[in-house]
Amino acid sequence: MPIIETAPGVSDAVSKYGIMDMPDLEYTPELARETAQAYERVSTVVPPIEWPAFAPYVKAINELKKERNAVILAHNYMTPEIFHCIADYVGDSLQLAKEAANTKAEIIVQCGVHFMAETAKLLSPDKTVLIPDMKAGCSLAESITGADVRALRETYPGVPVVTYANTSAEVKAECDICCTSSNAVKIVESLGVPRVIFLPDEFLAHYVAGQTDVEIISWKGRCEVHERFTAQDLRAARENDPGVKIIAHPECPPDVLAEADYTGSTTGMINYVKDKQPKKVVMVTECSMSDNVAAETPGVEFVRPCNLCPHMKRITLPKILDSLVYLKEEITIDPDVAARARASVERMVELGK
Ligand code: 13P
Ligand code: SF4
């Protein structure tokens, strides 16, 4: 694919690497053969009638990412054709942050939400980090600002601040250390203090408080996907199916978690299903995750309810292809904010080593 030279004044990434020709996206019998193996991986969750719309993008993205020396990081909530057919690395927020820190690729395409792309940029400041849709936000990240954290520090002088990864770089810059759902308790306890401010998810804070003796001061942020589950839904699921296993993300309300057989990060939940192979399971989280696990665990029946994250669903194959062709949309962070936010994220990554 030829690279098209561009004029000065365009984004850093475009002036460094140039844009490329948009590949041909026709679905032909040859393309069907070439993508048959990829389809095999998702055939139980993507109906055959939908594949011709995905296949040309799957082929084009897989070719273009090699030409660009790009790596595609995909969160566990991406749809199956992204998760199973074009991603180089998949995982929860912590795993994706670690991959971003270690990759040798020149370009990172973050298939997830904005705070994940920012975290990747913080850990790989010299790489080009792209997000296929800059509007892919997060209700938790939007619930708090840097000024809010500064005000909390004034109210609770000397109390360290632990910030969930689901926050902007501006908020991370004001905190002492970051955490994700998979290491929150460990990070809180690592500080060796009797009290911490834990931001911004009030339900995750409540969950952490139940696992530690450290006193937790929380904020009123909520995940718009997980706050909608109710304990009543889950009790109904168990009444219908007494043997069903209920596994939940810690962003759910406390009474929902009280109904769960297991609580953990998105990867923790996936591992639970793969290891235990329950006959029936409810994954109390974003819908695509059940599809992604179902594609790999044919012996497990997935009982819904689940909710869609509108922000994660902004990431689609056509937008990922655009990212690779036109090098958009590029993540940039103010250098002073980045330096302070990076220290918080690096402290978290170091603790995991
Ligand atoms: P995980 O770190 O568990 O993947 O969670 C991220 C997220 O946004 C869940 O809603
Ligand atoms: Fe944010 Fe919730 Fe979407 Fe995760 S699922 S990105 S926490 S809104």
Side-chain angles (χ1 to χ4, degrees):
M1 253 168 253
I3 293 182
I4 299 164
E5 298 290 333
T6 54
V10 292
S11 85
D12 284 356
V14 171
S15 53
K16 192 165 171 195
Y17 301 110
I19 56 176
M20 286 182 150
D21 276 346
M22 180 55 79
D24 180 15
L25 294 169
E26 202 189 334
Y27 186 70
T28 60
E30 194 195 341
L31 190 117
R33 276 193 300 280
E34 284 171 349
T35 57
Q37 246 186 336
Y39 183 60
E40 198 52 40
R41 294 198 283 275
V42 292
S43 58
T44 54
V45 288
V46 174
I49 197 162
E50 286 180 17
W51 187 243
F54 294 147
Y57 288 97
V58 167
K59 178 169 185 258
I61 290 167
N62 282 326
E63 286 178 358
L64 206 49
K65 73 181 183 188
K66 285 194 198 116
E67 286 181 50
R68 285 289 200 194
N69 188 17
V71 67
I72 297 183
L73 307 183
H75 186 259
N76 291 326
Y77 292 164
M78 289 294 106
T79 46
E81 70 283 1
I82 296 174
F83 186 92
H84 286 293
C85 301
I86 58 136
D88 297 297
Y89 296 100
V90 294
D92 63 19
S93 309
L94 182 62
Q95 290 171 313
L96 296 183
K98 286 181 178 164
E99 287 304 338
N102 292 334
T103 184
K104 300 267 183 294
E106 287 173 77
I107 297 172
I108 297 172
V109 180
Q110 181 74 54
C111 295
V113 291
H114 188 263
F115 76 81
M116 295 177 179
E118 266 192 346
T119 306
K121 183 69 184 174
L122 291 173
L123 292 170
S124 273
D126 300 329
K127 315 242 174 217
T128 296
V129 178
L130 306 173
I131 182 160
D133 188 329
M134 202 54 105
K135 292 200 202 86
C138 169
S139 64
L140 283 170
E142 276 144 35
S143 72
I144 189 159
T145 64
D148 293 327
V149 184
R150 288 193 293 276
L152 277 164
R153 279 201 191 273
E154 274 178 32
T155 311
Y156 301 101
V159 180
V161 180
V162 178
T163 296
Y164 194 28
N166 299 35
T167 47
S168 64
E170 186 217 352
V171 166
K172 289 184 177 82
E174 300 295 336
C175 78
D176 295 286
I177 188 163
C178 262
C179 74
T180 71
S181 59
S182 65
N183 61 16
V185 177
K186 183 174 166 189
I187 297 282
V188 163
E189 294 195 333
S190 75
L191 297 172
V193 292
R195 250 198 341 171
V196 304
I197 299 171
F198 186 97
L199 310 169
D201 185 349
E202 65 166 310
F203 294 147
L204 180 63
H206 188 278
Y207 171 74
V208 171
Q211 312 280 312
T212 178
D213 291 334
V214 179
E215 187 192 339
I216 304 288
I217 298 161
S218 61
W219 184 252
K220 284 274 174 215
R222 287 181 180 190
C223 161
E224 68 187 84
V225 175
H226 291 93
E227 72 170 342
R228 282 189 283 143
F229 291 106
T230 68
Q232 207 183 345
D233 290 341
L234 302 185
R235 280 196 292 272
R238 224 191 268 285
E239 268 163 36
N240 284 343
D241 258 309
V244 75
K245 291 290 176 206
I246 296 177
I247 61 175
H249 195 275
E251 289 167 10
C252 293
D255 60 337
V256 167
L257 296 185
E259 300 294 329
D261 297 297
Y262 170 82
T263 298
S265 77
T266 54
T267 294
M269 296 169 75
I270 292 173
N271 290 343
Y272 179 97
V273 177
K274 286 187 178 170
D275 295 348
K276 301 230 182 310
Q277 296 277 327
K279 266 208 182 77
K280 277 192 184 181
V281 67
V282 187
M283 282 187 138
V284 190
T285 192
E286 215 274 347
C287 301
S288 293
M289 206 166 93
S290 297
D291 295 337
N292 291 333
V293 190
E296 292 181 319
T297 53
V300 181
E301 189 185 328
F302 290 79
V303 183
R304 270 51 175 185
C306 64
N307 293 325
L308 283 168
C309 173
H311 311 288
M312 292 278 183
K313 298 296 89 116
R314 282 182 174 275
I315 309 299
T316 60
L317 288 178
K319 288 185 198 166
I320 297 167
L321 181 60
D322 273 4
S323 269
L324 286 165
V325 169
Y326 303 112
L327 296 167
K328 63 182 207 182
E329 309 200 26
E330 191 174 357
I331 298 286
T332 54
I333 308 173
D334 170 83
D336 168 57
V337 170
R340 289 182 293 129
R342 182 173 306 119
S344 304
V345 181
E346 280 177 351
R347 262 178 230 129
M348 168 184 81
V349 173
E350 277 304 308
L351 250 161
K353 281 185 183 164

